């Protein structure tokens, strides 16, 4: 009897594992839709921001220019910097500059939501210092 219980447990786990491997979740339609869209990094960020932050047309134009400039600066910094620490500092400087400009474009509610989307709720935009 003591041997039968572990064998039944092992058999039950084996059968359920086998069944789970046979099941397949298909999201081929979603994959096709995603692959059909050809967007660059700035374009994807702008599309999400427009939808999430309810941007006006004027805000959208300013943010498009800002993101293009940001990605250009980041790619230039990446090509010029060999030291990972220097590259990280360059990225941080670009981010601080970007945040200050974003604070001037977005209203307070939009800015708060923007920071939540980026996972940076506790950043003081005026000084560029992070608060813990």
């Amino acid at each position: 009897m003591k041997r039968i219980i572990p064998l039944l447990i092992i058999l039950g786990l084996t059968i359920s594992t086998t069944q789970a491997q046979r099941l397949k979740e298909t999201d081929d339609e979603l994959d096709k839709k995603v692959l059909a869209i050809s967007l660059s990094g700035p374009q994807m960020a702008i599309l999400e921001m427009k939808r999430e932050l309810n941007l006006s047309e004027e805000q959208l134009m300013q943010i498009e220019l800002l993101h293009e400039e940001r990605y250009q600066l980041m790619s230039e910094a990446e090509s010029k910097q060999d030291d990972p620490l220097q590259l990280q500092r360059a990225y941080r400087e670009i981010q601080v500059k970007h945040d200050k400009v974003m604070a001037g474009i977005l209203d307070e509610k939009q800015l708060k939501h923007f920071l939540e989307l980026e996972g940076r709720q506790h950043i003081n935009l005026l000084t560029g210092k992070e608060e813990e």
Side-chain angles (χ1 to χ4, degrees), residues 11-101:
L11 182 63
L13 290 174
T14 304
I15 291 172
S16 64
T17 304
T18 305
Q19 288 290 32
Q21 289 177 354
R22 288 184 186 165
L23 298 175
K24 79 175 194 182
E25 183 178 326
T26 61
D27 55 355
D28 292 336
E29 291 300 317
L30 179 61
D31 289 344
K32 289 177 185 177
K33 288 178 184 177
V34 169
L35 293 174
I37 298 173
S38 176
L39 295 175
S40 65
Q43 292 169 333
M44 285 187 280
I46 300 237
L47 185 64
E48 182 180 8
M49 287 179 68
K50 180 180 178 184
R51 188 189 58 174
E52 291 287 331
L53 301 177
N54 298 322
L55 299 175
S56 68
E57 288 301 317
E58 183 180 332
Q59 287 176 321
L60 184 62
M61 288 177 13
Q62 291 174 344
I63 289 174
E64 283 177 352
L65 293 173
L66 180 63
H67 273 338
E68 288 293 334
E69 178 186 350
R70 177 178 171 225
Y71 279 89
Q72 181 67 30
L73 289 171
M74 290 174 76
S75 64
E76 288 175 9
E78 191 173 293
S79 66
K80 291 179 182 177
Q81 300 293 337
D82 293 333
D83 182 28
L85 186 58
Q86 293 295 329
L87 181 61
Q88 184 178 8
R89 286 184 184 145
Y91 282 162
R92 179 69 183 134
E93 289 173 8
I94 293 167
Q95 187 65 44
V96 167
K97 179 183 171 190
H98 177 262
D99 287 347
K100 288 180 181 179
V101 175

